[in-house]
């Protein structure tokens, strides 16, 4: 017990050194709680498990991070590895720390297979997208660093896997966040595992060079100090050998031989002010010759992660190349700790480092900054980021990642897990909170689907589901459920369509059609007709190809229906107002050569009111049009099974084709359905609506006009 307390004291002392106002009780509570939770667990090394979260907390204290981050570090494995829950963390330590611990747990739970590793870039973006709070990533990086430092205790296969993951995902992520020190160490630890021979040979060559050149670092730093002293510039000078992996990567990239000093050693001059940076640069360039093409001024043009520095390479002592980086102390801090600089403390105050990037802004403007980056590589990254923006990543309660398109709902999520889950879905919880099924999912959310036996897919789900998988499954299930009805409906549709050309819908004719269309039997054919998966025009064409088209030949073909488009413009009827011949229309230019045709009274036109150059004068071609313009009708029927068939007959008798049928509401005493009908023009539409409305079991017919979402 005393031992434990002394350790907590050591951590607290480390924090107090940079943040005297630290909430010692919070740290002590987190310590005690995590220690109790992990009691009895050991690491592979044989140590008590709790030594791991403590080491992670120490690493973050070295980065001078805030109390919430340190407490999160102590607690980071409790939810994953012990009986503790996020709810309990929230009750004890508050919502903020609970959210941070939850974020770390989610990232830990992502199981990366080798295949997924090929999408490392996507994965790094996923981590960023998930972490609404970047401190989650800071804890995860420290966690990974400690695990990599102690990786020798794992079996070789596990070592390789972890090292690969670190090299592909965590090290570049640290770099992206501007944490160079972290990146270099993660890379080097992985390099040790992944390619020990290469690392060995570099180390050997390194030692040989050092022996040949003597204490080159001291001599060069002295040279630089002397030059600065002559001009009375106050600055600190450091020299260091680069990490083996950096050298190896440069050799790979540029096929360099291992002899250039500038590729092995780097020197830094840390000044007190920005002016001094340029004075130092002047002094160095006057004393030694600058190597062309190696000068970069990241002070006047900082990198996107906040990195500022002047880089130059000169021919130094004996003509040997020396690389020098010049920056102020504050710039140096940002260069070493990157985004983490935002949370760090100095002398008890949150550091107001003018160069530290605001993490929230940094995340938000990622894509914007990539857009104006001169760096080609970063530009490519940006393109990938844009693609990534159409997707959301959510989690199952077990922590599996489910990738969905933007706009997806819990229904899509349920179907993505398994069709069975989708079909029996009755409710959903997002991050433990009950939500309606039409809720749009966001990145990083945990989704839990409630299922119930006996639940069937609802027709209304068609409007909620965004993925093709869910929509197809719902449609299929609805067809099965209402099969008898659809078969009846299909029989009516077939009868009307064939009568129209003077033929009979005999069983033999229907069986022939089913065979030609490759369907199981006549029932299947009728069910598809009734559920609008097959339209009656196709049926007629299949049986009597020579009889089709003829009556329509005189009609204006749909392809030339509109006057006013340029030759290369393509047009599309707006799904919101579904304009038909006889209605006044206007074209709205879209990107490329596309034009969307709206009815002149469409409420959505308000959105483009202030862009007059996009408006195009259009009108319908005079003459009789093809019956090819779908309009959606909302039809309310009294609940009488026979009425559906009659409606279809009525519509067919008006020579209109039904292209889609959906039940949107099924109450004991009425149905509400959407029927899409293909008509010629307004007159044709009115005759269809009048005919339907005349049926005594029809409570109402109305044309559907929606807002920006399609019908
Ligand atoms: Mn851990």
């Amino acid at each position: 017990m005393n031992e434990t307390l002394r350790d907590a004291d050591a951590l607290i002392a480390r924090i107090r050194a940079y943040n005297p106002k630290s909430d010692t009780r919070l740290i002590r509570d987190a310590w005690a709680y995590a220690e109790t939770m992990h009691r009895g667990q050991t690491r592979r090394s044989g140590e008590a498990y709790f030594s791991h979260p403590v080491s992670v907390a120490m690493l973050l204290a070295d980065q001078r991070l805030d109390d919430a981050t340190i407490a999160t570090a102590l607690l980071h494995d409790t939810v994953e590895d012990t009986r503790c829950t996020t709810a309990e963390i929230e009750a004890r330590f508050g919502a903020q720390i609970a959210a941070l611990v939850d974020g770390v747990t989610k990232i830990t739970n992502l199981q990366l297979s080798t295949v997924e590793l090929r999408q490392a870039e996507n994965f790094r973006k996923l981590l960023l997208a998930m972490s609404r709070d970047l401190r989650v990533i800071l804890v995860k990086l420290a966690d990974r660093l400690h695990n990599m430092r102690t990786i020798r205790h794992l079996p070789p296969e596990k070592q390789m896997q972890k090292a690969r993951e670190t090299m592909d995902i965590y090290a570049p992520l640290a770099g992206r966040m501007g944490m160079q020190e972290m990146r270099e160490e993660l890379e080097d630890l992985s390099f040790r595992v992944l390619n020990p021979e290469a690392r060995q040979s570099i180390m050997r060559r390194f030692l040989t060079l050092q022996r040949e050149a003597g204490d080159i670092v001291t001599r060069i730093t002295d040279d630089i100090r002397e030059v600065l002293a002559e001009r009375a510039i106050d600055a600190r000078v450091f020299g260091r050998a680069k990490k083996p992996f950096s050298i190896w990567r440069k050799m790979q990239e540029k096929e360099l031989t291992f002899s250039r000093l500038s590729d092995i050693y780097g020197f830094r001059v840390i000044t007190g002010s920005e002016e001094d940076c340029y004075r130092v640069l002047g002094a160095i360039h006057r004393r030694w010759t600058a190597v062309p093409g190696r000068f970069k001024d990241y002070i006047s043009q900082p990198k996107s992660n906040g990195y500022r520095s002047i880089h130059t390479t000169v021919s130094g002592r004996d003509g040997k190349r020396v690389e020098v980086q010049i920056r102020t102390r504050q710039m140096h801090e940002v260069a070493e700790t990157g985004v983490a600089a935002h949370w760090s403390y100095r002398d008890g105050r949150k550091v107001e480092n003018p160069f530290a990037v605001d993490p929230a802004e940094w995340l938000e403007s990622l894509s914007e900054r990539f857009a104006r980056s001169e760096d080609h590589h970063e530009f490519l990254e940006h393109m990938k980021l844009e693609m990534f923006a159409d997707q959301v990543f959510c989690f199952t309660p077990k922590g599996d990642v489910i990738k969905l398109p933007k706009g997806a709902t819990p229904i899509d999520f349920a179907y993505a897990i398994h069709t069975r889950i989708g079909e029996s879905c009755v409710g959903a919880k997002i991050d433990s909170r009950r939500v309606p099924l039409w809720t749009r999912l966001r990145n990083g959310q945990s989704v839990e689907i409630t299922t119930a036996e006996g639940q069937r897919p609802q027709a209304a789900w068609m409007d909620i589901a965004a993925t093709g998988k869910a929509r197809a499954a719902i449609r299929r299930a609805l067809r099965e459920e209402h099969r008898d009805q659809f078969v009846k409906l299909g029989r009516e549709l077939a009868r009307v369509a064939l009568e129209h050309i003077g033929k009979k819908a005999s069983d033999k004719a229907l069986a022939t059609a089913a065979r030609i269309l490759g369907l199981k039997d006549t029932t299947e054919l009728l069910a598809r007709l009734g559920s609008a998966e097959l339209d009656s025009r196709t049926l007629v064409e299949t049986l009597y190809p020579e009889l089709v088209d003829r009556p329509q030949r005189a009609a204006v073909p749909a392809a030339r229906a509109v006057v006013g488009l340029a030759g290369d413009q393509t047009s599309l009827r707006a799904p919101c107002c579904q304009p038909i011949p006889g209605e006044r229309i206007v074209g709205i230019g879209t990107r490329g050569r596309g034009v969307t045709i709206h009815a002149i009274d469409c409420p959505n036109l308000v959105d483009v009111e202030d862009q007059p150059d996009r408006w195009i004068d259009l009108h319908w071609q005079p003459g009789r049009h093809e019956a090819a313009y779908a309009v959606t009708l909302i039809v309310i029927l009294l609940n009488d099974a026979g009425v559906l068939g009659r409606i279809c007959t009525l519509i067919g008798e008006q020579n209109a084709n039904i292209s889609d049928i959906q039940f949107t509401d099924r109450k004991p005493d009425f149905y509400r359905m959407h029927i899409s009908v293909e008509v010629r023009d307004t007159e044709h539409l009115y005759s269809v609506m009048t005919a339907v409305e005349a049926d005594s079991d029809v409570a109402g017919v109305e044309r559907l006009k929606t807002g920006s979402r399609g019908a």
Side-chain angles (χ1 to χ4, degrees), residues 72 75-81 84-86 89 97-111 130 136 139-140 143 395 397-399:
T72 302
L75 297 165
H76 83 271
D77 277 330
T78 52
V79 174
E80 173 64 10
D81 292 341
C84 162
T85 62
T86 309
I89 298 279
I97 289 174
L100 289 170
V101 173
D102 186 50
V104 180
T105 308
K106 277 176 181 161
I107 295 179
T108 307
N109 273 331
L110 293 170
Q111 289 304 321
M130 273 168 51
V136 166
V139 175
K140 192 62 209 171
D143 174 50
F395 295 87
K398 281 188 207 145

Side-chain angles (χ1 to χ4, degrees), residues 146-179:
H146 183 245
N147 284 333
M148 286 304 294
R149 281 181 182 174
T150 53
I151 198 167
R152 62 185 178 281
H153 300 293
L154 293 184
E157 207 173 289
K158 264 255 139 106
Q159 287 192 22
M160 287 298 277
Q161 189 213 324
K162 290 281 165 201
R164 189 70 283 153
E165 209 178 275
T166 304
M167 192 64 109
D168 287 348
I169 289 161
Y170 292 102
L173 187 61
R176 180 77 59 80
M177 292 174 74
M179 306 168 73

Side-chain angles (χ1 to χ4, degrees), residues 37-76:
M37 283 293 143
H38 288 297
R39 193 166 289 159
Q41 297 175 342
T42 50
R43 302 196 88 210
R44 285 203 183 246
S45 60
E47 282 176 290
Y49 190 88
F50 186 55
S51 65
H52 164 65
V54 168
S55 303
V56 176
M58 290 287 194
L59 279 168
L60 291 163
D62 288 341
Q63 293 176 37
R64 303 198 306 268
L65 288 170
D66 65 0
D67 290 336
T69 311
I70 309 272
T72 302
L74 289 169
L75 297 165
H76 83 271

Side-chain angles (χ1 to χ4, degrees), residues 143-210:
D143 174 50
R144 181 48 63 109
L145 181 59
H146 183 245
N147 284 333
M148 286 304 294
R149 281 181 182 174
T150 53
I151 198 167
R152 62 185 178 281
H153 300 293
L154 293 184
E157 207 173 289
K158 264 255 139 106
Q159 287 192 22
M160 287 298 277
Q161 189 213 324
K162 290 281 165 201
R164 189 70 283 153
E165 209 178 275
T166 304
M167 192 64 109
D168 287 348
I169 289 161
Y170 292 102
L173 187 61
R176 180 77 59 80
M177 292 174 74
M179 306 168 73
Q180 296 319 322
E181 247 177 335
M182 174 72 80
R183 196 199 77 206
E184 284 180 8
E185 190 174 351
L186 287 173
E187 280 172 349
D188 203 49
L189 290 165
S190 310
F191 190 39
R192 247 176 240 254
V193 175
L194 296 172
N195 201 341
E197 294 83 10
R199 190 172 183 277
Q200 278 293 316
S201 72
I202 283 170
M203 295 300 285
R204 266 199 306 277
R205 181 84 186 102
F206 203 65
L207 291 172
T208 318
L209 268 175
Q210 234 167 7

